[in-house]
Amino acid sequence: MTASVPPQTAVSPEDPGPPEDRRRVVRRRALTLLIIVLLIGVPAGYLVISAAQSRASGKDKEQKYSARGLTIDWPAKVQRRVYDVPIPHPSNQVAYYETNNWRTSRLYVQFQTTHDGLDTFLRDIGVSRDQLKKDDITISDRDRNIVGWKFSGPGARLGGYWGLSNKEKNPKPSQDIVVNTQNPRYPMVYVVSRTVP
Protein backbone atom coordinates (compact mmCIF):
# COMPACT_ATOMS: atom_id res chain seq x y z
CA MET A 1 0.00 0.00 0.00
CA THR A 2 1.37 3.30 -1.00
CA ALA A 3 1.03 6.29 1.17
CA SER A 4 -0.79 9.03 -0.48
CA VAL A 5 0.66 12.46 -0.35
CA PRO A 6 -1.81 15.19 0.26
CA PRO A 7 -2.09 17.52 -2.66
CA GLN A 8 0.02 20.68 -2.34
CA THR A 9 -1.35 24.01 -3.17
CA ALA A 10 0.83 26.55 -4.82
CA VAL A 11 1.52 29.62 -2.69
CA SER A 12 1.00 32.79 -4.56
CA PRO A 13 3.64 35.51 -4.14
CA GLU A 14 0.88 37.98 -3.43
CA ASP A 15 -0.41 35.88 -0.55
CA PRO A 16 1.22 37.40 2.55
CA GLY A 17 0.23 34.56 4.81
CA PRO A 18 -1.48 34.94 8.10
CA PRO A 19 -1.54 38.45 9.60
CA GLU A 20 1.39 39.26 11.99
CA ASP A 21 0.73 39.49 15.69
CA ARG A 22 0.64 43.13 16.93
CA ARG A 23 3.19 42.49 19.72
CA ARG A 24 5.62 40.95 17.26
CA VAL A 25 5.33 43.98 14.95
CA VAL A 26 6.05 46.35 17.86
CA ARG A 27 9.06 44.26 18.98
CA ARG A 28 10.50 44.13 15.44
CA ARG A 29 10.14 47.89 14.99
CA ALA A 30 11.71 48.56 18.42
CA LEU A 31 14.64 46.30 17.56
CA THR A 32 15.09 48.05 14.20
CA LEU A 33 15.03 51.45 15.93
CA LEU A 34 17.59 50.28 18.52
CA ILE A 35 19.94 49.06 15.78
CA ILE A 36 19.65 52.38 13.91
CA VAL A 37 20.38 54.33 17.13
CA LEU A 38 23.40 52.17 17.86
CA LEU A 39 24.77 52.36 14.30
CA ILE A 40 24.30 56.12 13.95
CA GLY A 41 24.00 57.57 17.45
CA VAL A 42 27.06 56.00 19.07
CA PRO A 43 29.57 57.11 16.39
CA ALA A 44 27.92 60.53 16.22
CA GLY A 45 28.17 60.90 20.01
CA TYR A 46 31.80 59.81 19.90
CA LEU A 47 32.54 62.42 17.21
CA VAL A 48 30.89 65.17 19.26
CA ILE A 49 32.87 64.25 22.39
CA SER A 50 36.11 63.90 20.43
CA ALA A 51 35.60 67.27 18.72
CA ALA A 52 34.94 68.97 22.06
CA GLN A 53 38.11 67.48 23.56
CA SER A 54 40.16 68.42 20.53
CA ARG A 55 38.83 71.96 20.61
CA ALA A 56 39.61 72.30 24.33
CA SER A 57 43.12 70.94 23.75
CA GLY A 58 43.65 73.40 20.89
CA LYS A 59 42.52 76.31 23.07
CA ASP A 60 44.93 75.26 25.82
CA LYS A 61 47.82 75.09 23.34
CA GLU A 62 46.83 78.40 21.76
CA GLN A 63 46.71 80.06 25.17
CA LYS A 64 50.10 78.58 26.12
CA TYR A 65 51.84 79.61 22.91
CA SER A 66 50.22 83.01 22.52
CA ALA A 67 51.08 84.02 26.07
CA ARG A 68 53.33 87.04 26.27
CA GLY A 69 56.05 87.09 28.86
CA LEU A 70 57.79 84.63 31.07
CA THR A 71 56.39 81.41 32.50
CA ILE A 72 57.56 80.84 36.06
CA ASP A 73 58.90 77.31 35.75
CA TRP A 74 61.91 75.40 34.49
CA PRO A 75 62.08 74.92 30.73
CA ALA A 76 61.81 71.29 29.66
CA LYS A 77 65.05 69.31 29.55
CA VAL A 78 64.82 69.04 25.77
CA GLN A 79 64.50 72.85 25.50
CA ARG A 80 67.53 73.34 27.72
CA ARG A 81 69.49 70.86 25.60
CA VAL A 82 68.40 72.27 22.21
CA TYR A 83 69.16 75.86 23.23
CA ASP A 84 72.23 74.91 25.32
CA VAL A 85 71.00 76.57 28.52
CA PRO A 86 72.13 74.26 31.36
CA ILE A 87 70.50 75.86 34.40
CA PRO A 88 72.65 74.95 37.42
CA HIS A 89 71.50 73.51 40.72
CA PRO A 90 70.71 75.20 43.01
CA SER A 91 68.73 77.88 41.19
CA ASN A 92 65.54 79.72 42.01
CA GLN A 93 63.33 82.40 40.42
CA VAL A 94 63.55 80.31 37.24
CA ALA A 95 61.35 81.51 34.38
CA TYR A 96 61.40 81.07 30.61
CA TYR A 97 59.71 82.00 27.35
CA GLU A 98 60.18 80.45 23.90
CA THR A 99 59.50 81.95 20.48
CA ASN A 100 59.67 80.14 17.17
CA ASN A 101 59.43 81.31 13.59
CA TRP A 102 60.78 80.19 10.24
CA ARG A 103 64.03 82.15 10.63
CA THR A 104 65.07 81.93 14.28
CA SER A 105 63.94 80.22 17.48
CA ARG A 106 64.72 81.84 20.82
CA LEU A 107 64.61 80.70 24.43
CA TYR A 108 64.53 83.43 27.09
CA VAL A 109 65.58 82.20 30.54
CA GLN A 110 66.21 83.87 33.86
CA PHE A 111 67.41 82.27 37.09
CA GLN A 112 69.10 83.19 40.34
CA THR A 113 71.95 80.99 41.52
CA THR A 114 75.09 80.96 43.64
CA HIS A 115 78.50 82.15 42.42
CA ASP A 116 79.54 78.50 42.04
CA GLY A 117 76.34 77.90 40.05
CA LEU A 118 77.17 80.86 37.79
CA ASP A 119 80.68 79.50 37.18
CA THR A 120 79.22 76.04 36.41
CA PHE A 121 76.68 77.53 33.98
CA LEU A 122 79.30 79.59 32.14
CA ARG A 123 81.73 76.65 31.98
CA ASP A 124 78.97 74.32 30.64
CA ILE A 125 78.26 76.64 27.70
CA GLY A 126 81.99 77.03 26.97
CA VAL A 127 82.85 80.45 28.42
CA SER A 128 84.27 81.75 31.70
CA ARG A 129 83.55 84.52 34.17
CA ASP A 130 86.62 86.41 32.90
CA GLN A 131 84.76 87.04 29.63
CA LEU A 132 81.96 88.99 31.37
CA LYS A 133 82.28 92.73 30.70
CA LYS A 134 81.08 95.30 33.20
CA ASP A 135 78.06 97.40 32.13
CA ASP A 136 77.78 95.42 28.86
CA ILE A 137 74.06 94.82 28.28
CA THR A 138 74.32 92.24 25.48
CA ILE A 139 70.59 91.47 25.32
CA SER A 140 68.95 93.69 22.71
CA ASP A 141 66.10 96.12 23.40
CA ARG A 142 63.85 93.99 21.20
CA ASP A 143 64.51 90.85 23.24
CA ARG A 144 64.16 92.72 26.54
CA ASN A 145 60.79 94.13 25.48
CA ILE A 146 59.46 90.70 24.53
CA VAL A 147 59.82 89.38 28.09
CA GLY A 148 59.78 92.64 30.04
CA TRP A 149 63.35 92.67 31.31
CA LYS A 150 64.55 96.11 32.40
CA PHE A 151 68.25 96.49 33.12
CA SER A 152 68.06 99.79 34.94
CA GLY A 153 67.56 100.97 38.47
CA PRO A 154 69.88 100.27 41.41
CA GLY A 155 71.76 97.47 39.66
CA ALA A 156 72.69 99.68 36.73
CA ARG A 157 73.65 102.63 38.93
CA LEU A 158 75.84 100.42 41.09
CA GLY A 159 77.53 98.87 38.05
CA GLY A 160 76.05 95.50 38.93
CA TYR A 161 75.37 94.33 35.35
CA TRP A 162 77.89 92.21 33.46
CA GLY A 163 77.40 90.77 29.99
CA LEU A 164 78.81 88.59 27.27
CA SER A 165 77.78 87.19 23.91
CA ASN A 166 78.65 83.60 23.14
CA LYS A 167 78.53 83.45 19.33
CA GLU A 168 78.51 79.97 17.78
CA LYS A 169 78.29 78.72 14.20
CA ASN A 170 74.99 77.19 13.12
CA PRO A 171 73.51 74.79 14.05
CA LYS A 172 74.87 75.40 17.57
CA PRO A 173 72.87 78.01 19.52
CA SER A 174 74.34 81.40 20.42
CA GLN A 175 73.64 83.06 23.76
CA ASP A 176 73.48 86.64 24.97
CA ILE A 177 73.95 86.71 28.74
CA VAL A 178 73.51 89.45 31.32
CA VAL A 179 74.36 88.87 34.98
CA ASN A 180 73.05 91.14 37.74
CA THR A 181 75.47 91.04 40.69
CA GLN A 182 73.62 93.57 42.82
CA ASN A 183 72.92 90.77 45.31
CA PRO A 184 76.50 89.91 46.34
CA ARG A 185 75.68 86.30 47.24
CA TYR A 186 73.14 85.29 44.57
CA PRO A 187 73.67 86.64 41.05
CA MET A 188 70.65 86.83 38.74
CA VAL A 189 71.30 85.47 35.24
CA TYR A 190 69.40 86.46 32.08
CA VAL A 191 69.93 84.44 28.90
CA VAL A 192 68.63 84.72 25.35
CA SER A 193 69.63 81.68 23.33
CA ARG A 194 69.08 81.69 19.56
CA THR A 195 69.11 78.83 17.12
CA VAL A 196 68.36 78.68 13.41
CA PRO A 197 66.04 75.77 12.55
Side-chain angles (χ1 to χ4, degrees), residues 2-3 7 10 13-14 29-30 40 46 51 57 62 66 86-87 90 97 99 106 113 120-121 132 135 156 173 180 192:
T2 44
E14 289 127 17
R29 287 184 181 166
I40 295 171
Y46 174 77
S57 172
E62 180 183 352
S66 68
I87 301 171
Y97 181 67
T99 61
R106 287 180 173 83
T113 188
T120 300
F121 167 73
L132 288 169
D135 299 326
N180 181 351
V192 178

mmCIF file of all heavy atoms in Angstrom, residues 2-3 7 10 13-14 29-30 40 46 51 57 62 66 86-87 90 97 99 106 113 120-121 132 135 156 173 180 192:
data_model
loop_
_atom_site.group_PDB
_atom_site.id
_atom_site.type_symbol
_atom_site.label_atom_id
_atom_site.label_comp_id
_atom_site.label_asym_id
_atom_site.label_seq_id
_atom_site.Cartn_x
_atom_site.Cartn_y
_atom_site.Cartn_z
ATOM 1 N N THR A 2 0.599 2.071 -0.863
ATOM 2 C CA THR A 2 1.371 3.297 -1.001
ATOM 3 C C THR A 2 0.692 4.413 -0.237
ATOM 4 O O THR A 2 -0.515 4.523 -0.257
ATOM 5 C CB THR A 2 1.509 3.723 -2.463
ATOM 6 O OG1 THR A 2 0.271 3.579 -3.079
ATOM 7 C CG2 THR A 2 2.593 2.985 -3.163
ATOM 8 N N ALA A 3 1.561 5.151 0.426
ATOM 9 C CA ALA A 3 1.029 6.293 1.175
ATOM 10 C C ALA A 3 0.690 7.389 0.204
ATOM 11 O O ALA A 3 1.430 7.663 -0.730
ATOM 12 C CB ALA A 3 2.039 6.791 2.187
ATOM 13 N N PRO A 7 -2.383 16.593 -1.573
ATOM 14 C CA PRO A 7 -2.090 17.523 -2.661
ATOM 15 C C PRO A 7 -1.575 18.866 -2.106
ATOM 16 O O PRO A 7 -2.037 19.331 -1.084
ATOM 17 C CB PRO A 7 -3.430 17.694 -3.350
ATOM 18 C CG PRO A 7 -4.457 17.294 -2.370
ATOM 19 C CD PRO A 7 -3.804 16.309 -1.442
ATOM 20 N N ALA A 10 -0.200 25.560 -4.497
ATOM 21 C CA ALA A 10 0.833 26.552 -4.823
ATOM 22 C C ALA A 10 0.560 27.825 -4.047
ATOM 23 O O ALA A 10 -0.568 28.273 -3.956
ATOM 24 C CB ALA A 10 0.818 26.825 -6.315
ATOM 25 N N PRO A 13 2.784 34.474 -4.702
ATOM 26 C CA PRO A 13 3.645 35.505 -4.136
ATOM 27 C C PRO A 13 2.859 36.668 -3.543
ATOM 28 O O PRO A 13 3.332 37.372 -2.677
ATOM 29 C CB PRO A 13 4.497 35.981 -5.296
ATOM 30 C CG PRO A 13 4.138 35.176 -6.480
ATOM 31 C CD PRO A 13 3.021 34.265 -6.126
ATOM 32 N N GLU A 14 1.666 36.880 -3.980
ATOM 33 C CA GLU A 14 0.880 37.976 -3.434
ATOM 34 C C GLU A 14 0.207 37.603 -2.130
ATOM 35 O O GLU A 14 -0.324 38.447 -1.428
ATOM 36 C CB GLU A 14 -0.198 38.397 -4.447
ATOM 37 C CG GLU A 14 0.389 39.091 -5.647
ATOM 38 C CD GLU A 14 -0.068 38.444 -6.943
ATOM 39 O OE1 GLU A 14 -1.043 37.700 -6.940
ATOM 40 O OE2 GLU A 14 0.586 38.694 -7.951
ATOM 41 N N ARG A 29 9.882 46.465 15.246
ATOM 42 C CA ARG A 29 10.143 47.886 14.993
ATOM 43 C C ARG A 29 11.055 48.479 16.076
ATOM 44 O O ARG A 29 11.933 49.291 15.788
ATOM 45 C CB ARG A 29 8.833 48.664 14.908
ATOM 46 C CG ARG A 29 8.094 48.374 13.619
ATOM 47 C CD ARG A 29 6.854 49.196 13.482
ATOM 48 N NE ARG A 29 6.168 48.872 12.239
ATOM 49 C CZ ARG A 29 4.939 49.221 11.970
ATOM 50 N NH1 ARG A 29 4.248 49.918 12.846
ATOM 51 N NH2 ARG A 29 4.402 48.893 10.833
ATOM 52 N N ALA A 30 10.851 48.085 17.331
ATOM 53 C CA ALA A 30 11.705 48.563 18.421
ATOM 54 C C ALA A 30 13.142 48.084 18.223
ATOM 55 O O ALA A 30 14.108 48.839 18.431
ATOM 56 C CB ALA A 30 11.161 48.096 19.764
ATOM 57 N N ILE A 40 24.116 54.708 14.284
ATOM 58 C CA ILE A 40 24.300 56.117 13.950
ATOM 59 C C ILE A 40 24.601 56.952 15.192
ATOM 60 O O ILE A 40 25.516 57.779 15.194
ATOM 61 C CB ILE A 40 23.046 56.670 13.232
ATOM 62 C CG1 ILE A 40 22.879 55.965 11.892
ATOM 63 C CG2 ILE A 40 23.156 58.176 13.035
ATOM 64 C CD1 ILE A 40 21.580 56.272 11.196
ATOM 65 N N TYR A 46 30.337 59.878 19.769
ATOM 66 C CA TYR A 46 31.802 59.814 19.901
ATOM 67 C C TYR A 46 32.455 60.990 19.175
ATOM 68 O O TYR A 46 33.378 61.609 19.697
ATOM 69 C CB TYR A 46 32.320 58.494 19.350
ATOM 70 C CG TYR A 46 33.823 58.414 19.313
ATOM 71 C CD1 TYR A 46 34.553 58.183 20.466
ATOM 72 C CD2 TYR A 46 34.518 58.615 18.126
ATOM 73 C CE1 TYR A 46 35.936 58.139 20.439
ATOM 74 C CE2 TYR A 46 35.901 58.574 18.086
ATOM 75 C CZ TYR A 46 36.602 58.328 19.249
ATOM 76 O OH TYR A 46 37.965 58.291 19.219
ATOM 77 N N ALA A 51 35.433 65.899 19.217
ATOM 78 C CA ALA A 51 35.600 67.267 18.719
ATOM 79 C C ALA A 51 35.698 68.265 19.868
ATOM 80 O O ALA A 51 36.514 69.185 19.839
ATOM 81 C CB ALA A 51 34.439 67.631 17.796
ATOM 82 N N SER A 57 41.672 71.122 23.800
ATOM 83 C CA SER A 57 43.123 70.944 23.747
ATOM 84 C C SER A 57 43.763 72.033 22.886
ATOM 85 O O SER A 57 44.795 72.593 23.239
ATOM 86 C CB SER A 57 43.448 69.569 23.177
ATOM 87 O OG SER A 57 44.821 69.446 22.949
ATOM 88 N N GLU A 62 46.822 77.032 22.275
ATOM 89 C CA GLU A 62 46.830 78.403 21.761
ATOM 90 C C GLU A 62 47.122 79.386 22.882
ATOM 91 O O GLU A 62 47.921 80.309 22.731
ATOM 92 C CB GLU A 62 45.473 78.717 21.128
ATOM 93 C CG GLU A 62 45.374 80.125 20.568
ATOM 94 C CD GLU A 62 43.987 80.432 20.023
ATOM 95 O OE1 GLU A 62 43.160 79.521 19.934
ATOM 96 O OE2 GLU A 62 43.750 81.600 19.711
ATOM 97 N N SER A 66 50.436 81.595 22.824
ATOM 98 C CA SER A 66 50.222 83.006 22.518
ATOM 99 C C SER A 66 50.469 83.882 23.744
ATOM 100 O O SER A 66 50.331 85.087 23.679
ATOM 101 C CB SER A 66 48.801 83.231 22.002
ATOM 102 O OG SER A 66 47.871 83.016 23.035
ATOM 103 N N PRO A 86 72.101 75.198 30.226
ATOM 104 C CA PRO A 86 72.133 74.257 31.358
ATOM 105 C C PRO A 86 71.981 74.979 32.696
ATOM 106 O O PRO A 86 72.960 75.397 33.309
ATOM 107 C CB PRO A 86 73.522 73.615 31.226
ATOM 108 C CG PRO A 86 74.364 74.686 30.592
ATOM 109 C CD PRO A 86 73.433 75.474 29.693
ATOM 110 N N ILE A 87 70.756 75.144 33.142
ATOM 111 C CA ILE A 87 70.498 75.864 34.397
ATOM 112 C C ILE A 87 71.119 75.061 35.544
ATOM 113 O O ILE A 87 70.821 73.876 35.703
ATOM 114 C CB ILE A 87 68.992 76.059 34.620
ATOM 115 C CG1 ILE A 87 68.386 76.838 33.443
ATOM 116 C CG2 ILE A 87 68.720 76.765 35.937
ATOM 117 C CD1 ILE A 87 66.883 76.906 33.464
ATOM 118 N N PRO A 90 72.064 74.716 42.783
ATOM 119 C CA PRO A 90 70.706 75.200 43.012
ATOM 120 C C PRO A 90 70.432 76.490 42.238
ATOM 121 O O PRO A 90 71.336 77.277 42.006
ATOM 122 C CB PRO A 90 70.709 75.484 44.514
ATOM 123 C CG PRO A 90 72.122 75.896 44.810
ATOM 124 C CD PRO A 90 72.982 75.080 43.872
ATOM 125 N N TYR A 97 60.659 81.705 28.425
ATOM 126 C CA TYR A 97 59.708 81.998 27.346
ATOM 127 C C TYR A 97 60.374 81.583 26.046
ATOM 128 O O TYR A 97 61.560 81.862 25.833
ATOM 129 C CB TYR A 97 59.352 83.486 27.333
ATOM 130 C CG TYR A 97 58.355 83.866 26.257
ATOM 131 C CD1 TYR A 97 57.052 83.408 26.298
ATOM 132 C CD2 TYR A 97 58.729 84.687 25.204
ATOM 133 C CE1 TYR A 97 56.136 83.753 25.324
ATOM 134 C CE2 TYR A 97 57.818 85.046 24.217
ATOM 135 C CZ TYR A 97 56.522 84.573 24.293
ATOM 136 O OH TYR A 97 55.624 84.914 23.320
ATOM 137 N N THR A 99 60.139 81.488 21.715
ATOM 138 C CA THR A 99 59.496 81.951 20.483
ATOM 139 C C THR A 99 60.076 81.162 19.311
ATOM 140 O O THR A 99 61.260 80.808 19.322
ATOM 141 C CB THR A 99 59.741 83.456 20.232
ATOM 142 O OG1 THR A 99 61.149 83.684 20.094
ATOM 143 C CG2 THR A 99 59.191 84.298 21.366
ATOM 144 N N ARG A 106 64.037 81.264 19.664
ATOM 145 C CA ARG A 106 64.719 81.840 20.824
ATOM 146 C C ARG A 106 64.137 81.269 22.113
ATOM 147 O O ARG A 106 62.925 81.059 22.219
ATOM 148 C CB ARG A 106 64.541 83.364 20.862
ATOM 149 C CG ARG A 106 65.325 84.120 19.839
ATOM 150 C CD ARG A 106 65.069 85.635 19.975
ATOM 151 N NE ARG A 106 65.921 86.410 19.118
ATOM 152 C CZ ARG A 106 65.673 86.645 17.827
ATOM 153 N NH1 ARG A 106 64.589 86.158 17.265
ATOM 154 N NH2 ARG A 106 66.509 87.374 17.114
ATOM 155 N N THR A 113 71.145 82.116 41.064
ATOM 156 C CA THR A 113 71.953 80.992 41.518
ATOM 157 C C THR A 113 73.067 81.493 42.437
ATOM 158 O O THR A 113 73.129 82.677 42.757
ATOM 159 C CB THR A 113 72.515 80.215 40.305
ATOM 160 O OG1 THR A 113 73.148 79.023 40.765
ATOM 161 C CG2 THR A 113 73.505 81.046 39.505
ATOM 162 N N THR A 120 79.582 77.318 37.047
ATOM 163 C CA THR A 120 79.223 76.044 36.409
ATOM 164 C C THR A 120 78.452 76.294 35.118
ATOM 165 O O THR A 120 78.731 75.684 34.083
ATOM 166 C CB THR A 120 78.381 75.178 37.371
ATOM 167 O OG1 THR A 120 79.148 74.924 38.542
ATOM 168 C CG2 THR A 120 77.962 73.878 36.730
ATOM 169 N N PHE A 121 77.479 77.201 35.168
ATOM 170 C CA PHE A 121 76.679 77.529 33.982
ATOM 171 C C PHE A 121 77.574 78.040 32.851
ATOM 172 O O PHE A 121 77.492 77.569 31.716
ATOM 173 C CB PHE A 121 75.610 78.566 34.337
ATOM 174 C CG PHE A 121 74.956 79.190 33.140
ATOM 175 C CD1 PHE A 121 74.063 78.477 32.364
ATOM 176 C CD2 PHE A 121 75.247 80.504 32.779
ATOM 177 C CE1 PHE A 121 73.471 79.053 31.243
ATOM 178 C CE2 PHE A 121 74.658 81.086 31.682
ATOM 179 C CZ PHE A 121 73.761 80.356 30.900
ATOM 180 N N LEU A 132 83.031 88.036 31.061
ATOM 181 C CA LEU A 132 81.961 88.990 31.370
ATOM 182 C C LEU A 132 82.536 90.399 31.390
ATOM 183 O O LEU A 132 83.601 90.639 31.960
ATOM 184 C CB LEU A 132 81.330 88.674 32.728
ATOM 185 C CG LEU A 132 80.456 87.423 32.808
ATOM 186 C CD1 LEU A 132 80.140 87.094 34.256
ATOM 187 C CD2 LEU A 132 79.179 87.602 32.012
ATOM 188 N N ASP A 135 78.997 96.468 32.771
ATOM 189 C CA ASP A 135 78.062 97.403 32.127
ATOM 190 C C ASP A 135 77.810 97.073 30.657
ATOM 191 O O ASP A 135 77.418 97.948 29.886
ATOM 192 C CB ASP A 135 78.552 98.855 32.253
ATOM 193 C CG ASP A 135 78.655 99.292 33.697
ATOM 194 O OD1 ASP A 135 77.826 98.840 34.518
ATOM 195 O OD2 ASP A 135 79.575 100.069 34.011
ATOM 196 N N ALA A 156 71.957 98.956 37.761
ATOM 197 C CA ALA A 156 72.695 99.683 36.729
ATOM 198 C C ALA A 156 73.514 100.812 37.339
ATOM 199 O O ALA A 156 74.652 101.043 36.961
ATOM 200 C CB ALA A 156 71.724 100.240 35.683
ATOM 201 N N PRO A 173 73.512 76.756 19.104
ATOM 202 C CA PRO A 173 72.870 78.006 19.520
ATOM 203 C C PRO A 173 73.888 79.024 20.034
ATOM 204 O O PRO A 173 74.951 78.664 20.529
ATOM 205 C CB PRO A 173 71.929 77.557 20.647
ATOM 206 C CG PRO A 173 72.495 76.279 21.140
ATOM 207 C CD PRO A 173 73.211 75.637 19.996
ATOM 208 N N ASN A 180 73.251 90.068 36.771
ATOM 209 C CA ASN A 180 73.049 91.137 37.741
ATOM 210 C C ASN A 180 73.694 90.688 39.053
ATOM 211 O O ASN A 180 73.237 89.732 39.682
ATOM 212 C CB ASN A 180 71.559 91.404 37.941
ATOM 213 C CG ASN A 180 71.286 92.530 38.932
ATOM 214 O OD1 ASN A 180 72.195 93.021 39.600
ATOM 215 N ND2 ASN A 180 70.029 92.929 39.019
ATOM 216 N N VAL A 192 69.411 84.888 26.570
ATOM 217 C CA VAL A 192 68.632 84.723 25.352
ATOM 218 C C VAL A 192 69.454 83.822 24.451
ATOM 219 O O VAL A 192 70.552 84.176 24.034
ATOM 220 C CB VAL A 192 68.343 86.063 24.643
ATOM 221 C CG1 VAL A 192 67.563 85.814 23.346
ATOM 222 C CG2 VAL A 192 67.574 86.995 25.551
#
